[in-house]
Amino acid sequence: MMTGKRLIISALILALVQIGFLSWIIAGRAAILRDGKQVLLRVEPIDPRDLLRGDYISLGYEISRIPVKLIGNIPAGKLASDDTPIVVRLKPGADGYWGPTAAWFGQAPVPAASGEADIVGHVSEGSDLSAATTIAPDYGIERFYLPEGEGMAIQNDMRVRPFGIRVAIAANGTAQIKALVDGDKTLFEEPLY
């Protein structure tokens, strides 16, 4: 009789821990979307379909190719990247799209000014820093899922006119996609929850 109660109590505790963990993840994402600094990035479509998840747009950005010369703290003699995060400082251009102005491995030496934002990405370990002119950070915002049947039409439209992604960036540099925009028109917006 006691082992049955212990089993039920253990199962309930495990369920509460799992629900708490999932709630924490969802609340963290929602906090970034709600409170993060918003930036607009110009996108380049890559591929619109995932057989298991439906339509999506795989996205590339201007910040997806960072010139090695923008990285301000590459130690002398360092030939390849390691597992250190990269901080990319963004600033809005005259057209409203944000672009990279500087980058650092690890952390930025000074906080971003009010008209700037720092986004944190990761560069594949072993990326060539000596001969390459650019490196390709991954920011975790490279896919945007769409309602079924929308991906191909949007990908085709992206090839003839500019689209953008509105991104919310938390104070620690973590980014979340907030919306897909076509000029001034918001096509799809991510819900907080």
Side-chain angles (χ1 to χ4, degrees):
M1 192 83 147
M2 268 318 238
T3 57
K5 283 185 180 182
R6 284 186 183 166
L7 184 61
I8 291 172
I9 291 172
S10 297
L12 286 174
I13 291 172
L14 180 61
L16 288 173
V17 168
Q18 289 175 340
I19 290 169
F21 180 71
L22 290 174
S23 297
W24 176 69
I25 290 172
I26 292 168
R29 180 181 179 280
I32 293 170
L33 290 173
R34 183 181 55 246
D35 303 327
K37 183 167 194 149
Q38 289 189 46
V39 302
L40 181 64
L41 302 173
R42 186 181 325 275
V43 297
E44 305 159 350
I46 299 171
D47 185 1
R49 188 95 177 115
D50 181 333
L51 293 175
L52 298 176
R53 294 185 176 169
D55 284 359
Y56 73 92
I57 303 170
S58 188
L59 304 166
Y61 306 94
E62 180 183 357
I63 64 171
S64 297
R65 293 172 307 280
I66 300 298
V68 173
K69 66 182 179 186
L70 279 185
I71 303 171
N73 64 343
I74 298 175
K78 185 168 184 169
L79 303 178
S81 63
D82 50 24
D83 195 26
T84 307
I86 186 168
V87 176
V88 179
R89 173 106 358 119
L90 305 175
K91 191 171 185 175
D95 60 359
Y97 291 99
W98 292 57
T101 59
W104 303 272
F105 284 118
Q107 62 184 33
V110 295
S114 63
E116 300 174 325
D118 287 344
I119 186 170
V120 175
H122 285 85
V123 179
S124 298
E125 190 170 348
S127 294
D128 188 1
L129 298 174
S130 61
T133 57
T134 63
I135 57 170
D138 180 355
Y139 303 99
I141 55 172
E142 286 72 24
R143 280 191 177 187
F144 186 75
Y145 287 89
L146 300 162
E148 189 70 31
E150 300 281 336
M152 191 59 78
I154 288 176
Q155 178 187 2
N156 291 336
D157 287 346
M158 284 182 167
R159 296 190 191 288
V160 296
R161 64 182 187 272
F163 277 65
I165 291 288
R166 200 171 322 121
V167 175
I169 303 174
N172 68 358
T174 303
Q176 292 288 329
I177 293 176
K178 192 164 182 132
L180 172 65
V181 296
D182 180 2
D184 292 335
K185 181 180 175 190
T186 300
L187 298 178
F188 298 99
E189 192 159 7
E190 284 290 321
L192 287 180
Y193 295 99

